[in-house]
Amino acid sequence: MTILDGKKVSNDIKDEIKAQVDKMIAKGEKVPHLAAVIVGNDGASLTYVGSKVRACERVGFESTMVRLSNTTSEIELLDKIEELNKNDDIDGFIIQLPLPEQINTQKVLMAVDPSKDVDGFHPENFGKMALDMTTFIPATPFGILELLDRYGVETKGKHTVVIGRSHIVGRPMSILMGRKGFPGNSTVTLTHSHTKNITQITSQADIIISALGVPNFLKAEMVKDDVVIIDVGITRVPDDSTSKGYRITGDVDFENVSKKASYITPVPGGVGPMTIAMLLKNTLLAREQRL
């Protein structure tokens, strides 16, 4: 069994990006600039955006955090997005989700300039991805592809089962794993909360990508030997034995499933670090497209 070490691979990617940024600086070119918009005081969102800002510092990017209050109206947020769209100094920006209930998330994501949409959430970019055109791939799916690629995990002709159909992970992964090329060329089954006999489906899978958000959902008896496991789930489970009072748990019963797997991502330290690394990669691509 091989651990798909997202922490190590993400550090390798950041080093590669830093080398490219150093070349830009040496040529006197403008370095990439990533902005993040956060509305409200959600603790997990603040932590996540903070880690993105630190990652930008590490690779030599400029970064801007736009903080808006929890009472910000939809019109105010749309005005701020229009400002960022028009700001030539900013190459890419993200809207940190979730947004407060008074704001229509879909309307907000539609307002982002597709050429600056480094999260890959705009319908124009999603549509290009589905048609195999060059575009921004959502950061988490992009990170999963990169892990499979760098570890040389065979995907051609394999049966990939995706658990979860979110627009951020499940649905794009189902499209990407079925595309021509590597990683891809697999036969994909997309499962979700209404899927019947899910164990029957997962037990036939060569590759399982789980993005359900249900701790320890995938058990050893649900998988076959030598399965490849990508665990996207990340849930805080109360645990009084830890200093924080909780532990981070994935969708997969790691202790038991890992005994049958050929490759598996740990939680934490698997897909999570890759998401930020690929957001940086998308920002670098955005900068290069604007040169």
Side-chain angles (χ1 to χ4, degrees), residues 189-233:
T189 303
L190 179 62
T191 66
H192 45 77
S193 56
H194 292 279
T195 301
K196 293 178 179 177
N197 305 323
I198 195 163
T199 298
Q200 192 180 339
I201 297 167
T202 56
S203 61
Q204 295 171 4
D206 301 305
I207 301 167
I208 297 174
I209 301 167
S210 185
L212 198 61
V214 177
N216 297 316
F217 171 80
L218 193 71
K219 308 289 187 189
E221 60 269 22
M222 297 171 70
V223 306
K224 68 178 185 180
D225 289 338
D226 294 328
V227 66
V228 176
I229 300 285
I230 306 291
D231 189 352
V232 189

Side-chain angles (χ1 to χ4, degrees), residues 29-102:
E29 294 173 1
K30 176 188 154 333
V31 301
H33 187 165
L34 174 68
V37 179
I38 184 163
V39 185
N41 296 303
D42 180 74
S45 292
L46 285 167
T47 301
Y48 193 45
V49 171
S51 62
K52 288 171 182 173
V53 169
R54 287 192 299 277
C56 284
E57 287 170 8
R58 175 177 164 178
V59 299
F61 284 11
E62 287 183 45
S63 65
T64 299
M65 193 195 293
V66 179
R67 286 195 62 176
L68 302 171
S69 76
N70 209 40
T71 56
T72 300
S73 70
E74 189 177 282
I75 289 172
E76 286 170 321
L77 179 55
L78 290 170
D79 285 345
K80 178 55 71 176
I81 289 169
E82 187 56 23
E83 196 181 299
L84 294 169
N85 284 340
K86 289 178 177 175
N87 186 341
D88 285 337
D89 191 50
I90 288 171
D91 300 297
F93 67 95
I94 61 160
I95 311 296
Q96 185 62 41
L97 304 178
L99 292 168
E101 59 185 20
Q102 73 270 18

Side-chain angles (χ1 to χ4, degrees), residues 158-172:
K158 302 295 184 182
H159 181 198
T160 296
V161 171
V162 179
I163 306 175
R165 54 181 166 181
S166 75
H167 295 167
I168 295 171
V169 183
R171 196 155 316 168

Side-chain angles (χ1 to χ4, degrees), residues 86 124 179 188 208 221 284:
K86 289 178 177 175
E124 183 177 313
R179 68 181 181 168
V188 183
I208 297 174
E221 60 269 22
L284 181 64

Side-chain angles (χ1 to χ4, degrees), residues 1-5 227-231 252-255 257-259 261-266:
M1 186 270 294
T2 302
I3 295 282
L4 297 170
D5 189 344
V227 66
V228 176
I229 300 285
I230 306 291
D231 189 352
V252 178
D253 176 5
F254 183 90
E255 188 181 345
V257 172
S258 61
K259 292 169 186 169
S262 55
Y263 294 90
I264 190 167
T265 58

